[in-house]
Each structure stands twice: as C-alpha cells, then as structure tokens.
Amino acid sequence: MSWFALVLPLVTTIFIAVMLYLMPSITRPTLPLGVSIPQERVGEPVIGAAVRRYRVGIAIALAVSVALTFIFAAVSPVSAVIVPIFVLLIFSFSSYWLARTSIQRAKAAGHWYQDVPVRLSGTLTATSTHASTPIGWYVASTLLLTAVAAVGVSVYDSLPETLATHWNAAGVADGFATKSVWSVFGPLLIGLGMTAFLFVVARLTGRIPMRRVADYGAEQQLAMQQLMQQLVGQITLVIAALFAALSLLAWYAPHNVGANLAVGIVGPVLLFAVIVVFLVRQRRIVRQGAAVVAAAGVSGAGTSAGSLPSTAHRADTPDDDRFWKGGMIYLNRDDPALWVPKRFGVGWTVNLGHPGGIAIMTIPVLIIIGVVIFATISPN
C-alpha cells in the first residue's frame, strides 16, 4: 500500500467533512440548512434539533468514508480517492435533506411567516460602490503560466517523442502521449483559459448589481464581496501553479516519484489553506454584523446608513424557498438579479433562471470536458 494512496484521500475526506459539519455555523442564522425563516424564529428548538441530526449524519458519513479509505487503499488507490468521497457526499446530502425537511414541516405547520413584515433589499441599479477585483492575482497567474510556456518553447526540440500525461496515486507515470503542441502545452493553455474565465467571473461579480438581503447591512455586504474577490483570485493562482508544476514535471521529471507525490500533496493542501483562511475571515464578518445588531437592539437607537438596524425594527427577507431547489440551486426567471447570496454555504451563486447564469455555468463544464479529454489521451 502506498502511503500517498492513503494520506491524500484521508486528508481530503476529513477536510470536506469538517467543512460540511461547520456549514450551519457559517451561514446566516435566518437560513438554517438553507430554509428561510423569520428572525424571531431563529431560536426555535426544532432548528437546533435539526442541525444536531445533520451533524450526527456528517460524523457517521465520515466514519464510514474513513473505513472505506483504508479498505480501498490496499487494493485500488484510485477507488480509495473516489469512493469514500462519493459516499461521504451522498450520506451528507441525505442527512442535510432529512434534517432540513423537519424545519420546513415546522415552518409550514406553524405559519412562521404569517403577519411577518418582509422586505427584499437589492442593488439592481448602478451604484458608485463596487467590490474591486484584485487584479494582481490574475496577473501573477498569467505571468507564471507564460513563463513556463517560454521554458517549454525553449526545450521543445529536446523533449522525448513520448511524454507522460498522467500519474497514478503512487506517483508513477501511467499515461503517455506523442509529443505535439497540445501534449506539451495543453495544461498551460487550459490554465490560461481558467485564469481568464475566473477573472471575468470575478470582474462581473464586482460590477454587476447583486441581491442584498434584509438582514445584511451595506457595509457587511461589501466586506463579503471583497472577501469573495480575494478568494477567487487566490484560487486562480493556486490552479495556475498546479498546471505549471504538472507541465514542468512532464518535461523534466516524469519518472521522479517523489516530485510527483509532492505536487499531488502540496496542491490540495494549498487549496484547503486558502479556503480555511477565507472561512475564518468570513465568520469574523458575520460575527461583527451580529454584534452590531445586538448593540443596536440593546440601545434601541437608530442606525446610520449602511449599518444593520436592530432586530425589533428590521423587516425580514421574503420567504422564497420555492425558488431554491434543495436550498442550493436558485432558479427564478422573474428575478433580474444575476448573482444571489447562497442559502447553504458562503458567497454567491448564479440565478439559473437568468440567461447570464446559464452561460456562466456552461463555460466551466466546457473547460472540464477539455481537461478530461487531455487526461484521457490514449497512451502509446
């Protein structure tokens, strides 16, 4: 058994499980498990019970997935990576679905939104305040990929006629292709394409008006958008570095097991680290907003523009559960907003009822198809 075939899926599985376990604490209190509720119902016992059941389900799913990792690592390293994560996601989603159903039933039976004042807050017209796109991350990504491409051009003639294009979980090259422009520069071209796409998405995210909910203040909303901009930029640079490293490995050290394993470990660890830092900073913003609400509620004083009003004087966000499929996918053809805050998770998601949302979701699929085609080039 390769230690890499055991450690990588274990680390990945545990990280995903921890993220899912913490998700109810990261999302807004008025959206427990993706169900919209009035602010006055945040402390309902049924919600706490549902969240506990969800987390018990995550813990059970993790235990099963870890056991499967040890079983498959001894017989099939590829299965050790795929099967436990697949099982974890299936069990976790089932736990999520069952737990949120209990909240929905209590909400419907108790008519929680009856006589509750609601207000849909949104910025659907041009404003002078936008989240700035940290262009430095994308410039660094482009320069890195371009520099590696220049190296590839300089060594192209000296490269062997057969190049490694895939490595197994043990770090051993097991896929090869005849030398060509695509086999040599394909990963770099894909990396450049993803960099351009993520930059466009980030730019649109910062410039296109977004839906703002009633229980988010303007300052809190802007801080969240800036944080998301940083996250996308950092992920872009990590992805570019991975594609650059894979290209260099294929050219200089296709059979260096240690180097291949190092890239396989460092890449996911960097992505995990970026996401963890984002979650810590995001949680801090949410808590700061909650502190403003609490302070305003105690003082009973009015609030200035951009701050959060007290709970007693705030309208709730309208109940729009019918537009959210499973609390995760938003589809509303009558909503002019392209970007809306996620119901379960952090950041924003696209409105699939908007033509622009369909386009944004289609492009990554095409990129993934290109990656798959490159990775499955028939070996010689």
Side-chain angles (χ1 to χ4, degrees):
M1 178 195 305
S2 167
W3 65 270
F4 181 77
L6 180 63
V7 172
L8 179 61
L10 275 179
V11 171
T12 303
T13 301
I14 292 172
F15 176 81
I16 294 174
V18 170
M19 291 277 293
L20 292 172
Y21 185 90
L22 295 176
M23 202 59 70
S25 300
I26 297 170
T27 52
R28 301 198 315 273
T30 52
L31 290 173
L33 299 178
V35 180
S36 179
I37 65 169
Q39 299 161 62
E40 62 184 20
R41 298 286 184 171
V42 167
E44 289 286 337
V46 66
I47 296 175
V51 171
R52 286 192 293 272
R53 285 197 299 272
Y54 164 76
R55 285 175 165 164
V56 168
I58 297 296
I60 294 173
L62 175 60
V64 173
S65 299
V66 168
L68 289 174
T69 299
F70 279 96
I71 294 172
F72 281 105
V75 296
S76 176
V78 175
S79 298
V81 175
I82 298 175
V83 175
I85 294 177
F86 179 77
V87 170
L88 173 65
L89 294 177
I90 293 296
F91 272 67
S92 299
F93 182 77
S94 300
S95 177
Y96 162 82
W97 186 269
L98 293 173
R100 77 189 302 269
T101 299
S102 65
I103 301 177
Q104 290 176 312
R105 285 198 299 263
K107 171 183 168 182
H111 305 287
W112 286 3
Y113 270 92
Q114 184 174 345
D115 299 326
V116 173
V118 298
R119 172 173 60 88
L120 181 60
S121 178
T123 306
L124 298 178
T125 58
T127 66
S128 58
T129 303
H130 298 285
S132 60
T133 302
I135 194 172
W137 297 108
Y138 305 96
V139 171
S141 301
T142 302
L143 289 177
L144 175 61
L145 293 168
T146 303
V148 174
V151 173
V153 171
S154 66
V155 301
Y156 185 88
D157 292 337
S158 62
L159 292 175
E161 290 303 315
T162 301
L163 296 173
T165 57
H166 185 269
W167 293 264
N168 60 26
V172 177
D174 61 356
F176 303 89
T178 302
K179 182 175 71 173
S180 65
V181 172
W182 174 248
S183 63
V184 173
F185 299 103
L188 299 176
L189 294 174
I190 293 173
L192 284 171
M194 293 192 70
T195 298
F197 170 73
L198 290 172
F199 174 74
V200 170
V201 169
R203 194 70 175 173
L204 290 175
T205 302
R207 304 299 298 180
I208 292 180
M210 290 189 178
R211 167 64 36 75
R212 183 165 68 85
V213 294
D215 50 345
Y216 259 22
E219 292 178 359
Q220 192 178 10
Q221 170 97 353
L222 182 59
M224 289 290 294
Q225 288 181 249
Q226 288 291 168
L227 192 58
M228 282 297 297
Q229 289 283 335
Q230 290 290 334
L231 175 65
V232 176
Q234 292 162 1
I235 289 178
T236 300
L237 181 57
V238 172
I239 292 175
L242 285 175
F243 279 113
L246 288 174
S247 296
L248 292 173
L249 281 176
W251 303 339
Y252 291 104
H255 303 294
N256 188 322
V257 174
N260 296 329
L261 292 179
V263 172
I265 293 176
V266 171
V269 168
L270 286 176
L271 285 175
F272 293 163
V274 167
I275 295 174
V276 168
V277 171
F278 166 81
L279 291 176
V280 171
R281 296 177 64 189
Q282 187 266 349
R283 181 61 177 163
R284 187 179 305 159
I285 293 173
V286 172
R287 287 183 173 179
Q288 288 172 349
V292 172
V293 171
V298 171
S299 65
T303 55
S304 60
S307 64
L308 292 175
S310 67
T311 302
H313 297 86
R314 275 190 297 162
D316 278 282
T317 301
D319 180 14
D320 60 349
D321 282 356
R322 65 189 182 280
F323 298 120
W324 287 89
K325 312 308 177 185
M328 297 182 180
I329 300 174
Y330 185 67
L331 198 161
N332 185 358
R333 294 181 177 86
D334 296 324
D335 189 344
L338 174 59
W339 300 94
V340 294
K342 287 184 178 180
R343 299 291 290 272
F344 188 72
V346 293
W348 283 260
T349 187
V350 295
N351 175 12
L352 290 181
H354 191 292
I358 297 174
I360 289 174
M361 295 301 293
T362 301
I363 294 175
V365 172
L366 297 178
I367 293 176
I368 292 173
I369 291 175
V371 173
V372 171
I373 292 174
F374 175 78
T376 55
I377 294 177
S378 300
N380 287 337

